[in-house]
């Protein structure tokens, strides 16, 4: 399986880290809490990207090229991004 630079999850990790900084600044949290928000977000982005790649591999092997293109395209990316931000929202609520 070849994972190209755009699909490695680091871009989404950067986006979620920036979101964590914005949330931390908006709610005026301590810097240690903001570091935790960033760590949680980066970890979740990278772990969810592993599942995204696994789904794309399964789609390519078992469900055909059209299914792979769906999960690799804009709609599949939005599904995973929405799932990531939803899980991140619930993870930082406490």
């Amino acid at each position: 399986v070849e994972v190209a630079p755009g699909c490695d999850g680091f871009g989404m990790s950067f986006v979620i880290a920036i979101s964590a900084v914005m949330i931390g600044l908006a709610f005026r949290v301590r810097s240690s809490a903001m570091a935790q928000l960033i760590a949680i977000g980066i970890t979740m982005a990278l772990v969810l990207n592993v599942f995204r790649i696994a789904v794309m591999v399964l789609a390519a092997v078992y469900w055909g090229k059209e299914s792979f293109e769906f999960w690799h395209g804009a709609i599949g990316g939005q599904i995973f991004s929405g799932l990531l931000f939803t899980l991140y929202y619930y993870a930082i609520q406490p």
Side-chain angles (χ1 to χ4, degrees):
V1 175
E2 178 184 348
V3 180
C7 295
D8 57 8
F10 291 112
M12 186 55 75
S13 296
F14 181 72
V15 169
I16 201 103
I18 296 298
S19 299
V21 170
M22 290 172 46
I23 290 168
L25 292 174
F27 291 105
R28 298 180 182 158
V29 298
R30 298 181 319 271
S31 59
S32 62
M34 192 181 306
Q36 288 177 340
L37 291 174
I38 293 169
I40 290 169
I42 289 174
T43 302
M44 289 181 70
L46 293 175
V47 168
L48 190 62
N49 194 60
V50 170
F51 288 115
R52 177 178 177 256
I53 291 171
V55 167
M56 288 193 301
V57 168
L58 291 173
V61 171
Y62 295 112
W63 305 318
K65 185 169 176 62
E66 298 82 22
S67 180
F68 171 80
E69 292 299 328
F70 172 81
W71 288 110
H72 189 257
I75 296 173
Q78 292 299 316
I79 290 171
F80 278 102
S81 295
L83 181 62
L84 171 63
F85 279 103
T86 301
L87 292 174
Y88 181 68
Y89 171 78
Y90 287 113
I92 65 171
Q93 284 303 304

